């Protein structure tokens, strides 16, 4: 795994996964869990 090409591919996959999750999260109906103090909003 020390091959630079493999590291770049891994970083790209992680970046795509994070962006995909953020997009998915932004498309969901509003559900918010706010910690600490525990606040939960659902719409």
């Amino acid at each position: 795994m020390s091959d630079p090409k493999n590291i770049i591919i891994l970083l790209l996959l992680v970046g795509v996964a994070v962006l995909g999750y953020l997009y998915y999260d932004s498309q969901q109906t509003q559900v918010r869990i706010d910690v600490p103090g525990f606040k939960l909003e659902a719409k």
Side-chain angles (χ1 to χ4, degrees):
M1 197 63 177
S2 59
D3 186 9
K5 189 168 65 172
N6 288 344
I7 294 173
I8 291 172
I9 291 171
L10 181 63
L11 289 176
L12 285 174
L13 288 175
V14 169
V16 167
V18 169
L19 289 176
Y21 171 75
L22 290 176
Y23 176 75
Y24 168 80
D25 193 47
S26 70
Q27 298 301 311
Q28 296 303 302
T29 54
Q30 191 67 29
V31 175
R32 172 170 288 151
I33 300 174
D34 198 358
V35 183
F38 188 75
K39 182 170 95 176
L40 175 65
E41 294 179 10
K43 294 180 182 173

